[in-house]
Every structure is written in structure tokens, then in C-alpha cells.
Amino acid sequence: MRVDGRKPLQLRPIHMETNYLIHPEGSVLISVGNTKVICTASIEDRVPPFMRGEGKGWITAEYSMLPRATETRNIRESSKGKVSGRTMEIQRLIGRALRAVVDLEALGERTVWIDCDVIQADGGTRTASITGAFVAMTLALNGLVEKKALTKFPIIDYLAATSVGILEDGQTVLDLNYAEDSTAAVDMNVVMTGSGEFVELQGTGEEATFSYDQLQGLLNAAQEGLMELFEKQKEALGDEIVKKIELSRNNT
Amino acid sequence: MRVDGRKPLQLRPIHMETNYLIHPEGSVLISVGNTKVICTASIEDRVPPFMRGEGKGWITAEYSMLPRATETRNIRESSKGKVSGRTMEIQRLIGRALRAVVDLEALGERTVWIDCDVIQADGGTRTASITGAFVAMTLALNGLVEKKALTKFPIIDYLAATSVGILEDGQTVLDLNYAEDSTAAVDMNVVMTGSGEFVELQGTGEEATFSYDQLQGLLNAAQEGLMELFEKQKEALGDEIVKKIELSRNNT
Amino acid sequence: MRVDGRKPLQLRPIHMETNYLIHPEGSVLISVGNTKVICTASIEDRVPPFMRGEGKGWITAEYSMLPRATETRNIRESSKGKVSGRTMEIQRLIGRALRAVVDLEALGERTVWIDCDVIQADGGTRTASITGAFVAMTLALNGLVEKKALTKFPIIDYLAATSVGILEDGQTVLDLNYAEDSTAAVDMNVVMTGSGEFVELQGTGEEATFSYDQLQGLLNAAQEGLMELFEKQKEALGDEIVKKIELSRNNT
Amino acid sequence: MRVDGRKPLQLRPIHMETNYLIHPEGSVLISVGNTKVICTASIEDRVPPFMRGEGKGWITAEYSMLPRATETRNIRESSKGKVSGRTMEIQRLIGRALRAVVDLEALGERTVWIDCDVIQADGGTRTASITGAFVAMTLALNGLVEKKALTKFPIIDYLAATSVGILEDGQTVLDLNYAEDSTAAVDMNVVMTGSGEFVELQGTGEEATFSYDQLQGLLNAAQEGLMELFEKQKEALGDEIVKKIELSRNNT
Amino acid sequence: MRVDGRKPLQLRPIHMETNYLIHPEGSVLISVGNTKVICTASIEDRVPPFMRGEGKGWITAEYSMLPRATETRNIRESSKGKVSGRTMEIQRLIGRALRAVVDLEALGERTVWIDCDVIQADGGTRTASITGAFVAMTLALNGLVEKKALTKFPIIDYLAATSVGILEDGQTVLDLNYAEDSTAAVDMNVVMTGSGEFVELQGTGEEATFSYDQLQGLLNAAQEGLMELFEKQKEALGDEIVKKIELSRNNT
Amino acid sequence: MRVDGRKPLQLRPIHMETNYLIHPEGSVLISVGNTKVICTASIEDRVPPFMRGEGKGWITAEYSMLPRATETRNIRESSKGKVSGRTMEIQRLIGRALRAVVDLEALGERTVWIDCDVIQADGGTRTASITGAFVAMTLALNGLVEKKALTKFPIIDYLAATSVGILEDGQTVLDLNYAEDSTAAVDMNVVMTGSGEFVELQGTGEEATFSYDQLQGLLNAAQEGLMELFEKQKEALGDEIVKKIELSRNNT
């Protein structure tokens, strides 16, 4: 039994409130247990300078936490005048992951800006951000298709992320909360497509290491959780969009 | 009739969800029409260097908008590496206003950090922030009283804010939404205590001016709206805290 | 009697030395008692990007203090690498106020850069800056008219500012010096046109409040002082320019 | 055959010049093919504020490239005034990896500053940095032991890193050079201890994905290269230090 | 004959208005032709961290230009968020030069902050700053002596600076104005003590060079101008202080 | 006898390894005793905005030290987020000096970026940088001539730099190492062309001064050392390039 009563390979309760905000082209408020993230997708009709003229789109992400998303107040990065290394790592990861399931040529010379703002944190904010950002992005791009601004549905597969880890007592667990994450010996984030292919794998032993066999256990745990997350995404997106993704996946 | 069907001196619907987040000592999600702000209050057990040893507390505020709180996406201030003049003006205003209704000596050498994060904007974000921040701060300070960390309830009066303005057609209106605010000839923010005293008055004619008589009309409109806001705050805070504030007001 | 021997509604001695510097298109050294500000106006033959193609001009202001304008030395904002919230508030106020008395269409696609550099401070630096900046700007724009770069005189009214306040002892006073300002219960800055219309009204109770009746007393005091300031501006500008402003005011 | 004539699972030539500089406590110039990095280790007799009083040491790393380490000149991060996300990711990785093989309690309240400065880049600069930094750090800490400043040899195992990837044609390769890295479908960095335990695993598909089976192939390739790197480290460190590490490893 | 009618080795008219401002411990408004600089000296009763406990004082300088000191408006360094290389060079030079004529031990653990703010520029702003700063500093330190805060008069000699140069036509000239400076082949700044010793010599050929013989001509021209500047400083400081400096010089 | 056994007017051993790196158009690793600097020259086919359309080239330099080039570790300027005044002074000096011996018109609208990265410091890093940068730049520009991108060889003379100084005991010495430099009474950097003309002369007495006679002694010492440095540069560049420089010098 884990600190919050879950079984080792049990996810926390997931909830996604789509179209949570009125202004963005796509938005979702995702909750993974007590972790809550507002994910929005904004469409801009041009790409960054280094990509102009290639006929392809771009997806980029920004991540932030409200100062009191955490147990003690964090200083705002705008007050510090610079973005931390942790924030940069996370936003690069989110953007890279999302680009793996989008047909950037079908998107045309557009940028999708993803914003993930953590309003409450209890571990797993980066994986919740990816899972939610996929939904927000899909809603925004589906809007472009419905407005006939795109001729081809550009999402080619589902994308979700979760964490797995090895606790101090050696137990392999799925979807670590903050209490678990801060004492775990090994922490691994796994980003996967709906077809079960890896997009990102980041395993870290902080003052610890892990063996080849432990790695296999972690990968299996992650896969189990991810299959459940894909189901939640399908519910949130609705049948019509699910059909479009399936069709797109088969044609790729 | 106004653009959203309201009468000239009618507020938008107000809603406050108290204790919206689990970590902060006080928090509220305030909605004023489509404007939504997460207000939190955090207690720190020391004051800034310039106040040490005076036996008094301090209240300071930070204000920010999510990038997609607005119709077009704003660049994050953390990415720009600096806070805009508008943001600074607003956060100075919020802090100054709240300090007017707190007995800083009763607070002792503590800092109350107020964070107002706009998650959706439709005009009046600074006045909604003040109205919500008062509630979050009161919840946090009441918590200190309940924990016996404070011997005296330090809130000495209610505090709320609203905007009034003169539209292009010369009409005086209460609680401007974004469409009205961006075309108004005159815009005035009024911060008032529950006893009807002014705390801040900021009237601005952007490429326009206003007469002494127009000023009186604006002040009357503001007062009417503020009385309604104080009632909403009382509902949100609940009878027990309302009694403490009344008692504290009578003793000041 | 006040700390410096003045009556409650008496201004400090005012002096303006026009064309104080050789390089700027318009300049003045304004003294209000011991407060001394160099105000310059610079003409640039283009507007900021967000205004291009609209056929209108723009007026923007910057404000700064020499490090030793004050009793104790201030750290330069260039050394700190950022501009303080107070500075931003003041420069936004100066720009906004000046724009209220200029026909921006008559100005054409030009920017007037106003620089207010306080070389000695004794309270009221922002109001002295506005009063002086109006004179510097008028000299610069008159120069454009004389060079036939402008066909219409673009100043449509006088503009001046002063402060009023309520001292600790409850007395309402005009034109506060630093000693008064730093202990006043209420401080209000009033920007007005030569026709007696308000442009800006900023009243603040720092850890204090003010009633409706006190507000009326403050407004009356301000108006009295402003009438005297307009006379000083007329003397500084000279008969020829005064005639142009009167003519322009009657035609608006 | 690969672009530079190597076999798929062949490392580039490795060279390490120990004690390359006169000032640092430990230093090495490591070459991996054309990639050249100066790694230094500096000892500071205190730890960062967040660790004081715990009786443990800390290891932190900084990474940079000379502007002309690359084919086209890069703008210096000092000129840009900020460190890029890529740099932050790499320096966090280096520090975390090294901490996994050091007994931080044996180190006492000291900080080891690792500096990895790439003077010539041809792919794999972060893995060469880790492999070289381990050697520089070991030399510096051995110096402390020789000076009797430490009573226990604090290195508990070897540490090296290499990259593996899947090229566009589907081939799995070891130790990618820049030409390979910039076109690879999948890129994975593996950090391992001399005992064959994983410390870090970072696999990324940029606009691509990889299957469970491909992952196993990548891991095997990495392990083969890492065994060779540990041999090179032993040669560079010399018999005496090798004996100390073996002893330390057996006692852990 | 030069562009402004001067002879080759003739200084521009010099004027110094001492005690120009009310707040600083020492201040002067120096004019060298059309170049005008406000120089102030502020005393702080401690030294920077790197000097604490040595029983010696420190002198440091800051230099800035008002935006419209020049013919076209300069962007403020506070707006740019950083100080230019030119500004840094100048302020390092001013501080270093002044330290050469002060007995830092006699000063005790105090810092003298020198601020040189150019309000009008026409060439030679750095040399005018040094000449004026010496006077402001001397007034401030004499104040400390008069208040008996110092037992020994700490100024050990006069200090002044001027520029010399070689014009495009090969002529050696003294005290270049902006028109001359911007086209000169060689530009040299010379800082000298009242005893005729060099403190700083900075000769620069911008896209030009100069011979050993030309150097001797430049040095002679500088010396002639400097002798005149020392006389102006004596007049500005007055007999009483002049006597103290002479006494101090003889005792060193 | 000096601290390292040299005679007063003896240079330290000089070594230059040309084409030290594979990517830059020109590069050299210069050693002057224990001071080691990597100098590179990069060609960009355009000039900065302020020079466009003039048909002339530009040369600009950047200078930096590795954190552990010195006895105690320096904080990186990229971490501090700003470049120090010392660094700015040095890089402005290097660029200005090199421009004195290049025919910028023959260079055409190109920029030469010089990077001087000190990997080990023992005094004289700025003069070693200039001496090495000249060689790197010459190699890069000769490459342009060989590729027929330039029709005229644009180097018009040799350029080298050294330091001279007066030690505490009054002795005049050449090429100060760090131990000498940090205690010298007077320090002077001299940049000279192969024809014996001065390009830059920067003499500084830190809390000391120097007489006219001492200056002559310093200049003679510098000249002696510089003649030796030109011979080293000729050896490093090789006969073919030496001939081109001689030819170019005779034609100027």
C-alpha cells in the first residue's frame, strides 16, 4: 500500500475539463490527483524565422507554476528575470513530444503555442502537462479543420505521459505523487504514442542507480498506466475526433 | 442598454469560490463576468529588510496574467525577462489598498504575500484582484487567529474595488467589460472600505478629459457598485468572520 | 503655518528657464521650491510600430532621478538593470497626460520623446515634471510650426499638475514638499487643462482613507494652485505662443 | 560503413590528457574523435546554502562552448545575457550523474565545481564531458585524500557516458558524430557506472518514435561502448587510483 | 585656426559652480565650453565587502549622460537594462584616477561615491568629469575634516584631466570638442597630478597610428592645458582648501 | 633578478600553434609563459547595421576566461548574466587595435569576429590576446585571398602588444607575470605596428603616479620586447604570408 492508499501500479484519479477557457483555440483543465494544470493551445499564422519558407509548421511549449501551486511559495520567474533550468527542460520536453504526433507538413506554416500553467502541484506536473497539452492541441487543430483552414487532419496518433519510479524500499510504482517523488531512488518519465511506441524516455537515479532488470519493470509499469490515459483522452475528445485520429493513424 | 445587455449602473455576475487551492493559507477563485482571477494569500514569518525590528507586518502583492487569458496570446513576462510597467502599477496598487484595512501592528513581523493570477480576462482584472485578494487575505489571517498565532483579529474593515467610466456616447457606466474599457473616454478605478471611505481613486482620460460634474457622477456610480460587492464578500467569508470584522471595525 | 512657513494653499516659488540646453528641440529647467527638473522634448520622424500607418503622432515620456537628487544616494536604475515600478508609473502618467492636450492627427506620424530628469528632489517631482514637460513640448512643437513642418499648431490647451494632501493633523495643503509628503495621510496628484477639466486624478491613502467631503476640499485646493501654474507657463512661453494656444483652444 | 568509416558499434578514438592546466585541483583535456573538452574540477570548502549543516558535500557542473567550437560561430551566452535551455539541461545532467558515484558524506561540507568547456565540437559533447569530468573530479578528490583533508576515498565507482542512436536508414550505431546526430531518427544518451548500473537514460525521438525492441538494441550497443570507456579512464587515472576505486567499490 | 576659432593649444572656457546641489556632501557643475557635467560626491560610512577590515577607504565613480545631452537622443541605459562598454571604461577610469591623489588610509573605512552626469555634451566629457569630480570630492572630504570626522586632510595633490589629439590635417591640438574628436586621427586623454606626475595616459589611434615624436608633442600640449586647469580648480576651491592641499602635498 | 628568474627586459617564452582548431577560418593557441589563449578569427559576409552600404569591412573582438583559468575559480559571465567592465574594456581594445593594421576597404563588407578565450592565465592576457589574434586574423584573411574572395591582401602591417611596468622597488620591467602585475606601481600596455608606430598606449598608476622620465623608460622597454614578438609572428605565419605583408606594407 502506498502513502495515499493506492496499489503500486494504480494511477491517481484523472479528470479533464475541455474548453475550460473562452479565448484559446483549445484548452483543458487536467487534474491528476491533486495536480492541476491549465493547458491551452494558441494558433499563430506564421513560424519562427529559422523555419520560414519550408512549408512546415512548428509546435512550441511554455510551462510555468503559479507561485502558490506548491506547499511553500515560489518566487515568480518574471520577478527573478530569468527562467530556471528545470522550467526550460520541461518546456523543451513538452514541445518535442507533441511534435512527434503531428504531421507538420499538413499543419502548414503555422505555430501552435502550448501553455501549461500549473495551478496546483502534487508531483507529475510535466507528465500531466503533456497529457493535457495533447488534448488542448487536438481541440485547436480540429477547430482549424472544421473552419476548413486545414484540409488534412494533422494529428497522427495519441500522446500521453506518466511517471514510474523505484521507491526507497525498492518497490516499483506508477504515477508518483510529490511525497513519493521527493524520496524515490529512481524516477522515470515515459512519453508514448497510442500505438505503444516510445517518444521520450528519461530515467534518472538521483544519488542512486538502476539495473537492466529494474528498467524492464519500470517500462512495463509505464505502459500499463499509459493505456489507461489514452482511454481518458478519448473520452475527453469525444467520438468525432477519436474517429479522425484513428483514420489518420491508419493512413500514416 | 450596454453591449452585454446590462443597465448603466449594473455589475456583472460575481462569484467567489473560497479555499480553491489546497496549499495556500487563503485562496479564492473570483469571477466578475468572464474575468476570472485566482487570488492567494501566503504568510511568511518575517518582513522585508527595510522593516525589520519595527514590530509591524507588511502586505505585498504580485499580479500576472496567463498568456492566453486574453483574446490574443501575450508573451510571458518571465520570457521577456522583465515585468511591464502596467503589471508593476497594478501590483503596487493592490498591496497599498490592502494595507489600508489591516492593523499592521496586530499582524506582527509577518509578510502577507498576495498573488493575483488572471486566468481569463474581460476587463476589470485589477479591481477583481483587489476584491478577491481581500477575501483570500482575510481567510489566511483568520487562520492565524484560529491557530492562536495572532491574539487580535487584524482586519479592520472590508475592502473592495470596481471601475466606473464614461463611454464614447457620454454615458456613465459601472464595472466596464473589456469592450467598453477599450473605447471609454474616461476610466476610473475606485477602492473603498466597507465604511464608505476612499482608499484609492484613479481617474484617467486617455486623450480625453472630464469635468467636475462628471466626476461626481462617476463617484456615485462607484459607491453603488461597491456596496453590492461588500455583500458578496460577506457571503463568501461566512458569518463567523463577518462578526469578527464588525467587532474589529467598531474598536478602531 | 507649514514646515517651510507657507500658508496651507500656497504654492512654492516657481521658476522656468526655457531653452536651457542647446541640443533638444525644446527644453526647460523647472524649479518648484527646491525641486529641480530638466525637461526636454525631442522630435522623431516616425511612430512606434503599433501605430504605423494611422497618420497620427505619439507622445511618450521617460523619467529619472540623478543618484544624488535625494538626501541619501539612490542606486542608478542602469546599474540595477531594471526600471522600478515607481519610475514606470510616473513615466506612463506623464505621457498619458500630455497626450490629452495635443491634436495627435495634426502632429502627423511623429513621436515626441519627453525626458524628465530630476536633478534635485524635494517632493512633487512628478507634478513638476508634467508642468515643465508641457512647456518643453510646446517649444518643440512650435519650432516645427515655425519651420513649416506642421501646418496646424497642435497644442489645444495648457496642461499643468500639482499635488494636494491631508497632513497628519488633518489640514488640507497644496504643493507638498518632501517632509510633508512623507508623513501625509492622504496624497493626491491632479492634472488639469487650462480650461479646468481633469485629465488625471490619483488619490491615495497610504495606511489611511479619506471621505467624500475631504475629497471635495482637496479638489478645490488643487484647482487654486493650478490656475497660478498656468499663469507661470504663459510667462515662460511668451505672448506669441500664448496667442497660438488660445486660438487653438477656441477652435477645438 | 558509417560516414567516417567506422563500424556501427565502434567508438571514435579517445584520448585524455590529465593535469592539462596548472591551476585547477583536477583537469583533463578529453578528445573523442574531433570533439575536445577541457574538464576541470575545483574544490570549494563550503556547500550551497540549502545544504549547510547536513555534513554532506555537493557536486555541481557548468558547461559551455567556445563560440567557434562549431562550424558556424555561436553567440556567447554572456553576450546574450542568459544561458540557453540546452546548456542548462546539460549542466544539470552532468552534476546529477557525477553525484551518483560519490559518497557525499565522505566528501564533507565541500562543493566540487565541474567546468566542461568544449573547445571543439563534433557531436557527443555532453557524453564526452561526463566521461572527462569523472576523471578530473577523481584527480581532484584524490588530491584531497593525499593531503589528508579526506580520510576516506569518496569515489565509489567509475562513471562514463556515450550516445547511441538509430540513423535514418534504421541502423543502430554507437557514439554518433555531428553529421550522424543531426540526421538521426532516435538519439539516446546513456550514463552508466563501472558496475553496469544505469545512472541516466535519455532517449528522444525528434519527430520520430522507437519500439520496445529497438530500445533493447540501443541499450546493448551503449553497454559495449561504455566498457571500453571505463578502460580508457583506468589508463588515464593510473594504477594507484584504480586500486583505490576498486577498494571503495567493494566496500560499498 | 580651429573650427571654433581657438588656437591649437588653447583650452575652451572653463567654469565651475561649486555646491550646485543641496543634498550631496560635495557638488559642482563644471562647464568646459558647451560640455556641462554635474559632479557630486557622496560619503558612505562603509567600504565594499572585498575591503572590509583593512582600515582603508575606497573611491568609486559612476558616469552617465542624459538622453538629450547629445545632438540626437540616446536610449537610456536603464531602458536597455545594461550599461555600455564605453560607460564602464569611463567610470573605471574616473575612480582609478581619483584614488591616486587620496590617502585612503586617512579616509578610514568610508566609500566616496562620485557621480558624473553629463547634461550637455560637446566632446571631452570624461576629462571634464575627472576635473569636476576632483573638486566635488575635495569639498566633500573637507566637510568631513571640518566636522572632525577625519583628523587628517586626505587629499594629497590636485588632479585634472584633458584631451589632446592629432587632427586629420596632422595638427596637434588641446581640448578637442566633439566636431574635432569625431574626426581626429589620434586621441589621447591625460590625467595628471598638480605636481606634474602622470596618473593615466590613454592614447588611441582609431584606424591610425602615431610615432614616438608625435607622442612627445601630445604630452607637451597636455601638460600646458593641465597647468591652467589646476589654477581653475584652486579658484573654485578657495584659499582655505588650497592651503590644506599644499600642506598635505608637502607632507607626503 | 625577477621572481621567475628573468632579467628586467626579458620576455617569457612565446609559443604559437597555428590552425589549432578545425572549424575557424584562422586559429592559434598562443602561450606567453604560463598564459595560454585560444585566438580564433571567423569571417561573416556582412557588416553591422551601422556600416552597411559603405563598402568597408569591420573587425570586432570578444574576450573571455575559462572559470578555472585563474588560481581561484571565477564565476562565468554567462551565469552572472552580464559582461564585466574589465572584459568590455579588453574586447574594445583588441578590436580597435586590429583595425589599425587592416585595409577595411580591401576587406569589403565583411566582419572578422575575433574570439580570445584564455584557458590559463598568468598575467598579460590582453596583450597575448592581441598578439595571437593578429596571427589568427592574418591566417583567416589569407584564406580569403587564396580562395580569390579578396583581390588585395588586406593586412598592411604586423601588430603585437606587450606590457611594461614599474615594480614596487622602482625597477622597470618587460612582460609582467601575474605576481608582478598584481603588485606593480605602474602598469602600461603598448600596442605597436611592425613599423614601430604606436596604436594604443595605456599607462595606469593604481594608487601611484609616474614621471615623464619614467615614461620614456617604459616606452623603450616595450619597444624592445615588441621587436622580438614580431619575429615570433613571422615564424608562425611562414614565409609566404610574411612576403605578402612586406609587399602590402611597402604599398601603403
Side-chain angles (χ1 to χ4, degrees), chain B residues 2 165-173 176 179-181 183-186:
Chain B
R2 290 159 72 178
I166 302 176
L167 301 186
E168 285 177 298
D169 61 6
Q171 195 176 33
T172 293
V173 293
L176 287 71
E180 292 171 333
D181 189 52
T183 57
V186 177

Side-chain angles (χ1 to χ4, degrees), chain A residues 25-229:
Chain A
E25 283 74 37
S27 67
V28 68
L29 170 61
I30 184 171
S31 315
V32 177
N34 279 326
T35 290
K36 294 186 184 190
V37 188
I38 298 177
C39 303
T40 67
S42 303
I43 308 290
E44 188 186 17
D45 280 334
R46 56 175 186 173
V47 287
F50 69 90
M51 288 192 64
R52 287 194 192 137
E54 295 186 27
K56 290 172 56 180
W58 188 243
I59 298 163
T60 188
E62 292 192 355
Y63 166 97
S64 188
M65 275 199 189
L66 295 203
R68 208 46 206 289
T70 47
E71 208 171 315
T72 56
R73 188 179 182 276
N74 292 298
I75 301 173
R76 283 173 198 271
E77 296 188 328
S78 57
S79 301
K80 284 190 280 190
K82 62 179 178 181
V83 172
S84 74
R86 178 184 173 276
T87 294
M88 286 206 189
E89 255 183 62
I90 294 175
Q91 51 200 24
R92 282 159 57 91
L93 168 64
I94 300 170
R96 210 162 54 216
L98 292 172
R99 289 194 294 272
V101 292
V102 175
D103 177 344
L104 295 173
E105 261 135 47
L107 181 56
E109 293 215 350
R110 285 182 185 85
T111 299
V112 183
W113 289 86
I114 299 297
D115 287 289
C116 297
D117 285 87
V118 179
I119 61 176
Q120 191 165 276
D122 185 28
T125 62
R126 81 186 70 187
T127 52
S129 293
I130 291 171
T131 305
F134 173 78
V135 172
M137 177 181 74
T138 301
L139 293 170
L141 293 181
N142 186 54
L144 285 183
V145 172
E146 290 191 340
K147 288 195 307 180
K148 314 246 187 253
L150 290 186
T151 51
K152 189 179 163 193
F153 188 77
I155 307 284
I156 55 182
D157 206 342
Y158 296 95
L159 184 91
T162 195
S163 71
V164 284
I166 302 175
L167 300 185
E168 285 177 297
D169 61 6
Q171 195 177 34
T172 294
V173 294
L174 173 64
D175 186 20
L176 288 70
N177 65 23
Y178 180 73
E180 292 171 332
D181 189 51
S182 54
T183 57
V186 177
D187 178 32
M188 178 173 284
N189 294 303
V190 182
V191 188
M192 197 171 256
T193 67
S195 316
E197 296 267 301
F198 293 105
V199 174
E200 284 275 341
L201 202 65
Q202 297 193 337
T204 295
E206 174 73 46
E207 299 169 31
T209 60
F210 53 104
S211 69
Y212 187 86
D213 285 352
Q214 285 174 315
L215 172 61
Q216 306 305 321
L218 290 165
L219 295 173
N220 293 339
Q223 193 156 13
E224 207 158 302
L226 287 158
M227 291 307 132
E228 211 173 312
L229 287 167

